[in-house]
Amino acid sequence: MAVPPAQVAAVLDMQSLTAFEQLLGGLSSSDNTARTQYELLFNETKKQPDLLCLQLVRAMRTSGAVETREMASILLRRVLTKDEVSLWANLQLQTQDGVKSELLKSLTEEGTKSITRKVCDIVCELAAGILEEGKWPELLPFLFQCVTNGTPTLKESALNIFAQLAEYIGEALVPHLAMLHGILRQSLADANRPIQLAALRACCCFVESLENPSDRAKFQDLLPAMLATLGGALSGGDEDDAQEALGLFVELAGSDPRFVKKHLSQVVDAMMTITEHNDLEDGTRVLATEFLVTLTEARDRAPGMMRKLPNFVPRLFTALCTFLLDVEDDPEWHTCEKEEDGDSGLGERYEVGQECLDRIAIALGANSVLPCAAQLIPQLLADQSDWRKRHAGLVALAQIAEGCSKGMLKDVAGAVGPCLQACVSDPHPRVRWAAVNAIGQLCTDLGPRLQEKAHAQILPALLSAMEDKSHRVQAHASAAMVNFSEGCPPEHMALYLDGLMNKLMSMLQGGHKMVQEGALTALASVADNAQTAFAKYYSVVLPFLKQILISAEGKEHRMLRAKAVECISLVGMAVGKERFLTDAKEVMDLLMTLQQGGFEADDATTSYMQQAWTRLCKCLGEDFIPYLTVVMPSLLKSAGLKPDVQITDVDDGPGDDDEDDEVEVISVGDKRIAIRTSVLEEKATACNMLCCYVDELKEGFFPYIQPTVETMVPLLDFYFHEDVRKAAVASLPDILRAGKAAQTTGKTTDPNYFKALVDYVVPPLVAALSKEPETEIQAAMLESLADCAGVAGELISQHITAMIEQFQKTLSNSLERRAERNKRANDEDFDAEEHEALQDEQAAEDEVFDQFAECVGSLLRSLNAPVLPLIEPLLAQYVAPMLSPDRSPEERRIAVCVFDDVFEHASAGGASLRYLDGFVGPCFAGCDDPDCDVRQASVYGVGVMAAAVGTHFANHVPRALQALAKVIQAPDARSEENFNATENAVSALGKLCEFQRNAIPGAEQVVPQWLSCLPLTEDCVEARVVHAQLVRMLEGGDPHLMGQNNEHLGKVVKVFAVAMPTANLSEKLQLCTPETCSKMKALLAQMQSGMAEQLGNAFAQLAPEEQAALRGAMA
C-alpha cells in the first residue's frame, strides 16, 4: 500500500515534531495493523535520509516523553549502524556534522541513564566506522576532557565509550598511552563505583586491544587498583557489580594471561578467596573459579605459570571438590524414567566443579593433579557420615581420568579399586551410581589397559551392580558395561559371556523400562565385542529382539524400540551374513514397516534406524542393495539438512532458546548466534552413514552416486560442524572408487563418466584445503586427496598445478604454527610437562606433513617420472630441509619416505638421479638413527636406491652393506620396537644381492648371510616381497645362494616351511602370496627329483610342527 506523500512530509516537517512523535509511538503499538502501517511510513521516510536523521536527533534530544526519546535513540542507531544499508554514507556532510555534534551534546546533557547508554552505543558504533579515517577528529579530545573534568555520569559514559572503541582505536591511542594510563589510574581510584567499574572495563578492553606486549605491560601496575574495584564491590555487598568486574577479569585472562603475571600471587589469592567464600552468591564464586581455570588453560601463552605457583593446584583442586558437595538427595532422582533426566538435585556449583576438574586435569597434567587427588579423594571416600563427600570423591576421580591418564595408567588397578568397592557396598544409591559411572569413565580413559589388567575385578562388580535395588544403578551398570566392552579384548570378555548374557536377558525380561533400555545397549555392545562367539546366544536373543520390535508401541516405548533396532543390527554383524541370513528377510521387513510408518520429529528411532541400516548393509553386502530404495531417501534428506541458525543482536538480550539443551549459543562481536545442535548431529550421522554405504556397496551404489556426491562436495566447507566436514572428506575417495567400478563393470555407458566424477570431486577438495581451520581435518583432507589421486590415476594430472599451489599454502601455514608453538619453549616457566604437551600439539602438524608425503607418493605412483619436475619446488622447499639432523625424528622420517617414493616410482630414464648425492648421505645416517621409524624408512630407502638406479649406486654399496649390517646385527634387532626396521634391512640387503651383485665385495659370503636372516615373520608386506625374491633367485639358479654342494638347502626348506602354510591366510598374516607358494611347491618338486637325499635330510632338520605344516601346504 502506497504511503501518501503528504503524510511523509508531515512526519519530516522540521518545524514540528508532532507527527514524527506520533510515528515513533505507533512503531511500538500493540495493534498489529496499526504498527504495520507505521512501519511502512517509517520505511518511506528513509528515502529522505537527511530529514529523517535530523528528526530522530531532534526527538531524541527534545521530546518530553522518555519513551519517545528512547525509541528515537534506538531507531537512530538502527538507521546509522545496524541496517543492512546504513543511511550514514548517504547523508550530506552538513547533516553528518550536525548528528555528531548533537550526539556529543546529548552525552553532556541527557539526564536519563537508559538513553545515555543508548547514545554511547551510537557514538561507539558510528566512530568505529569513521574515526580511523579522520572523520570525527573532535571525539577523542572530547572524551579525554569528559574523563578529566566531567560530571560523574559523563566520566562513566566516556570511559564506557573508550572501552567499546578499544578494539577499533587501541593502536591509534599508543602515542597517548601515558595520558590514558593516568586517566585510568585516577578513575579506578574514584569514590564513585560506576566510574571505577567503567575504568576497569576500559582498562581490560585496552589491554586486550594492544598488539605490542610492551605496551600492554605499561598497564600492569594498575592491577592492584583493578582488584580493589572488585574488592570494593564485594565489601559493599554489591554482587552484581562484582560479577561484572569478575567477567572482565575472565575475558582478560583469556586474551592475555601474562598480563597478571607480575601480580600473580596477589590476583590468584584474591580469586581463590572468592571461590572459597561460602557466603557469596554462586554466580560470584563461579566467575572467580572461571578466571582461575582460564589461567591454567593458557598453556600456549603462559606455559607452566600456574603449576609453579606455590599451593595453587592443591587449593584449587580442593575448592572444586568442595563445589561437588552442592548436591541434594532429591526424590525425583530415584524415580526418574529417563537417564538423561536424572540430574535432579545437582546445584550450579556441582556442575561447575565437575566441568572444571576435567579442564584443570587436561591443562595441568597428571604430575600436578594426581598428588592432590591422592591426598584428598581417599579422605572424601572414607567419610561415612556424609554421602555427598563419598559421591564427590568418585565424581572427582572420574573427571580427572582423561587429563591424568598417563599417570593413572601406571597403576590402573589402584585407580579403579575405590570404585569397585563403593559400587557394591556403599549404603547410598547415589554413591553407588557415581561409583559405576566412574568405572565406565575409567574404562574409556584408561582402556584397554584397565580391562586387560583388572577385568577379573571389574566384571563381577558390574554384574553385582546390575542386581542393585536402585533401577538407576542397574541401568547405569549396563552403560558402564558398554564402556568396558568397547576396550576389552574379546578373549577376556569370553570368560564372562555366559553369566553376563544370563544377567542381561533377565534384566530385559523383568526390569524397569530404563533398565531394559540399558540392557539392550549393553547386549548390543557385548555382541559387537564377541563377534562370532556370540553365535551360541543368537537363537535365544534374536526372537526376543524381534518381539520388542513388534510389541513396543506408544511414545513411552520409543527408546526401547530404537535400542532393539540397534541391538538387532549389531547382533547381525557379530554372527555374520551366513548365520543371520535365515532371519534377514523377516528383520528387514520389520524395519521397513517401521520406516514406512514414519517418525515424529523428536523420535530418536530415526537416528537409530539410519545406523542400523548401515550395519545391516555391512553384514549383508550386495544382498542389501534392494533395500536402498527404502533407506536412501530419508538418509539423503538428513544429510541435506540446512543448519538451524538464528542471528540476533547481543543487545536484544537472551533468546527463548538460551535454556534449550539442543541449542548452542555463541557471541561474535555484537551478534548472538544460536545453532540448533540436534539438526547438526542428525546431519553428521547421515553423512557418515552415506560413507559406509558407498564404501561397502561400490558399484552396487551406482544409482545413488550422483545425489551423494552432490550432497557431500558442498559440505567440504560446512564450518558449523566438524564431523560433517570429516564425513564429506572421507567419502570422496570411496565415491571415486565406486564410480570407477561402475564404469568398469558397465553400470554406465558414458565413457567420460569417471573423468567427470574426478573433475567434480578433486578441485573443491583441493580448494578447501588451505581454508580449513582445523589442523586435524587438514591432515584428513590431504589423506583423502592422496587416496583420490591413487584412484584417479592419470586423470589426476590436470589438477596437479592447483594441488601444488595449495600444498605450498598449507605447508607454509603449518610451519608458521609450529614455529609459533616452539616459542613457548623459551618461556621461563617452561617445564617437562609443557614439553610433553608441546610435542602432543606438534604431532598434529607432523600428521599434516605425513599426509602431504602420502599425496606426493600417490602422485608418483600414478604419474611416475613425468610428475617429478612439477613437484620439485615442494621437494626443495619443504622436504629436503627436513632431512637435517636437527629436525624432529618424525620430520626426518617423513622426508626419507618422500625420497623413498621418488626413487621407487620416478627413476625411469634416470629422472631421480639428480637427488642421489643429496639423499644417500642422510639415508645412511638414518640407518643409524636412534628412532626406529627413521631407521625403518632409511633402510627401505637403501633397498629402493639399490634396485632403481643401477650402476649409479655401485660406489655406495660398501657403505650400504655396513649400514644394513649394523641394523641387522644389533643386539636388540629382534625386539618388538625394532623388528620392522630389522626386517626392512634384510629386505634391502636382498635388493643389494639381486641388483648390485657385481659391486658387493665377497658376494659369495653376503648372499648366504642374507639367506640366514630368513624367513621374515613380522612385517608381512616385506616378507611377501623377500620370499618372492628368494623364489626368483632359486628359479634363476643363483650361483651364490645354495652354496657348494647345496649346503644351504636346509635353510631354504626352513623358509618354505614357515611361509607356505600362510599363503591362504588374510594379508595381515600372509608371509607369501598363493602365486609364490605355487612356485615354492614347484621348486620342491624339482629338488625331489634332482636331490632327493639332500632334500630328505633338510626336511628331517625341521621341527615336527614345521614338517606337518609343510606337508599340509604341499597337499
Side-chain angles (χ1 to χ4, degrees), residues 381-438:
L381 295 176
D383 193 319
Q384 297 303 311
S385 63
D386 188 349
W387 69 269
R388 297 178 308 152
K389 291 185 179 179
R390 302 193 301 280
H391 183 270
L394 292 163
V395 171
L397 183 61
Q399 291 304 109
I400 67 172
E402 180 185 0
C404 296
S405 60
K406 288 184 178 178
M408 295 172 78
L409 282 168
K410 296 174 183 176
D411 180 19
V412 290
V416 79
C419 311
L420 300 175
Q421 183 177 355
C423 86
V424 173
S425 61
D426 197 280
H428 201 287
R430 293 199 74 153
V431 178
R432 298 196 300 277
W433 185 96
V436 169
N437 182 70

Side-chain angles (χ1 to χ4, degrees), residues 336-575:
C336 77
E337 295 292 319
K338 297 180 181 179
E339 185 73 40
E340 56 267 29
D341 297 336
D343 291 341
S344 303
L346 304 182
E348 180 184 6
R349 279 179 286 118
Y350 174 92
E351 293 177 351
V352 170
Q354 189 178 34
E355 175 196 337
C356 290
L357 280 167
D358 177 45
R359 289 167 61 187
I360 68 165
I362 293 171
L364 297 172
N367 292 341
S368 296
V369 174
L370 280 184
C372 306
Q375 183 173 1
L376 181 60
I377 289 178
Q379 296 176 22
L380 294 170
L381 295 176
D383 193 319
Q384 297 303 311
S385 63
D386 188 349
W387 69 269
R388 297 178 308 152
K389 291 185 179 179
R390 302 193 301 280
H391 183 270
L394 292 163
V395 171
L397 183 61
Q399 291 304 109
I400 67 172
E402 180 185 0
C404 296
S405 60
K406 288 184 178 178
M408 295 172 78
L409 282 168
K410 296 174 183 176
D411 180 19
V412 290
V416 79
C419 311
L420 300 175
Q421 183 177 355
C423 86
V424 173
S425 61
D426 197 280
H428 201 287
R430 293 199 74 153
V431 178
R432 298 196 300 277
W433 185 96
V436 169
N437 182 70
I439 292 172
Q441 191 63 52
L442 292 174
C443 285
T444 296
D445 294 328
L446 307 183
R449 184 173 177 81
L450 176 62
Q451 289 90 323
E452 292 169 358
K453 296 292 184 184
H455 58 87
Q457 292 75 42
I458 294 174
L459 257 300
L462 290 180
L463 286 169
S464 176
M466 288 178 178
E467 297 178 342
D468 198 277
K469 291 177 289 185
S470 165
H471 75 273
R472 293 294 310 276
V473 178
Q474 280 186 287
H476 213 55
S478 296
M481 185 62 72
V482 173
N483 299 104
F484 177 86
S485 65
E486 285 175 349
C488 185
E491 59 269 23
H492 294 322
M493 198 77 170
L495 303 173
Y496 309 92
L497 273 180
D498 287 345
L500 180 54
M501 288 301 301
N502 288 336
K503 179 62 61 185
L504 290 174
M505 293 302 294
S506 172
M507 294 167 73
L508 278 171
Q509 291 166 2
H512 184 281
K513 183 164 66 71
M514 182 190 290
V515 173
Q516 289 180 311
E517 291 172 2
L520 275 175
T521 304
L523 183 62
S525 183
V526 169
D528 192 35
N529 178 286
Q531 291 298 298
T532 54
F534 194 81
K536 66 184 289 190
Y537 312 106
Y538 178 81
S539 60
V540 174
V541 170
L542 197 73
F544 190 82
L545 297 176
K546 288 190 291 187
Q547 186 57 41
I548 293 177
L549 283 187
I550 296 168
S551 61
E553 296 181 340
K555 197 166 185 176
E556 69 277 10
H557 290 112
R558 289 193 313 197
M559 183 55 70
L560 188 67
R561 184 181 63 188
K563 289 182 178 290
V565 168
E566 173 187 53
C567 196
I568 284 178
S569 63
L570 281 165
V571 166
M573 279 189 67
V575 300

Side-chain angles (χ1 to χ4, degrees), residues 111-185:
T112 304
K113 196 163 187 177
S114 62
I115 298 176
T116 300
R117 282 199 297 268
K118 290 179 172 59
V119 174
C120 286
D121 291 337
I122 300 172
V123 170
C124 289
E125 291 171 15
L126 184 58
I130 66 175
L131 192 64
E132 287 187 295
E133 299 172 6
K135 295 182 179 179
W136 204 347
E138 61 272 24
L139 177 60
L140 289 182
F142 170 82
L143 294 176
F144 279 123
Q145 182 65 28
C146 289
V147 176
T148 305
N149 298 315
T151 64
T153 299
L154 198 52
K155 284 183 180 181
E156 181 185 355
S157 296
L159 287 166
N160 285 333
I161 293 173
F162 269 129
Q164 291 184 61
L165 279 180
E167 65 176 297
Y168 304 106
I169 65 170
E171 289 301 309
L173 283 174
V174 170
H176 310 288
L177 287 185
M179 180 186 298
L180 186 61
H181 181 279
I183 287 173
L184 292 173
R185 178 185 288 280

Side-chain angles (χ1 to χ4, degrees), residues 668-690:
V668 179
D670 61 352
K671 298 297 181 185
R672 174 186 165 280
I673 303 174
I675 305 172
R676 187 162 294 279
T677 54
S678 57
V679 173
L680 299 181
E681 294 298 335
E682 180 182 344
K683 184 181 184 75
T685 299
C687 289
N688 279 302
M689 300 305 100
L690 286 172

